Amino acid sequence: MKDVNCAYCMQGELVAKFAYPVCKMDTGFLYVFKEQSHPGRLILAHDKHISEMIELTDEERNAFFADVAKASRAIHKVFHPDKVNYGAYGDTGCHLHMHLVPKYKDQYEWGGTFEMNPGKVTLTDAEYEEIAEKIRQAL
């Protein structure tokens, strides 16, 4: 089931406002989050338009987390963060997705919770594509 009002379901202009496409994964679609205060931040949006992880079967959940781990390994390979934080929010945007947020010692928000969209660092499409290509190669 797709929701025509959902950015992740429609994968067009709605999602392009905040995310740049990387690739299709086994359980969803991977994006570069356009706000790059944390270099290498990605989003993995599940294929199904569901709100809660409990709506997945055990096998679907395990496969989703395998994709999260695969994307996180790619972040580590390309960006070498000290830690990756994970966030599954969506109080108003009810489509299961995971934020993968690289954190770097002595840099922005180290030691604290990451802000959802600080609006501090945006890039050009060419720079987003460069990140996306590096992640594709690392996957």
Side-chain angles (χ1 to χ4, degrees):
M1 178 180 121
K2 298 227 183 256
D3 180 337
V4 296
N5 297 310
C6 173
Y8 295 118
C9 285
M10 301 317 294
Q11 295 186 335
E13 291 179 23
L14 291 175
V15 78
K17 291 177 183 176
F18 62 87
Y20 186 90
V22 176
C23 65
K24 174 71 176 90
M25 297 190 73
D26 289 339
T27 63
F29 205 90
L30 188 63
Y31 297 94
V32 174
F33 190 61
K34 284 191 172 177
E35 207 299 324
Q36 284 287 297
S37 292
H38 300 282
R41 183 172 175 176
L42 304 176
I43 302 169
L44 178 62
H46 199 278
D47 283 335
K48 289 184 174 183
H49 182 76
I50 57 172
S51 180
E52 299 290 334
M53 235 174 279
I54 61 172
E55 297 175 62
L56 298 173
T57 66
D58 289 347
E59 293 80 17
E60 289 170 328
R61 184 198 62 242
N62 292 343
F64 183 64
F65 275 98
D67 276 351
V68 168
K70 187 175 181 180
S72 183
R73 280 191 291 278
I75 290 171
H76 277 279
K77 186 175 180 180
V78 173
F79 290 94
H80 311 287
D82 295 296
K83 176 73 173 94
V84 173
N85 287 182
Y86 304 88
Y89 304 114
D91 295 349
T92 57
C94 297
H95 187 118
L96 179 62
H97 63 285
M98 181 76 65
H99 289 262
L100 293 81
V101 184
K103 300 284 283 291
Y104 305 88
K105 287 183 182 170
D106 302 320
Q107 291 188 20
Y108 184 63
E109 295 182 325
W110 179 257
T113 305
F114 65 88
E115 190 175 349
M116 180 49 66
N117 191 358
K120 295 176 189 265
V121 178
T122 55
L123 308 175
T124 65
D125 283 347
E127 290 170 314
Y128 293 126
E129 178 54 33
E130 183 179 336
I131 293 170
E133 184 55 31
K134 286 179 181 177
I135 294 294
R136 288 180 203 115
Q137 294 301 316
L139 288 170

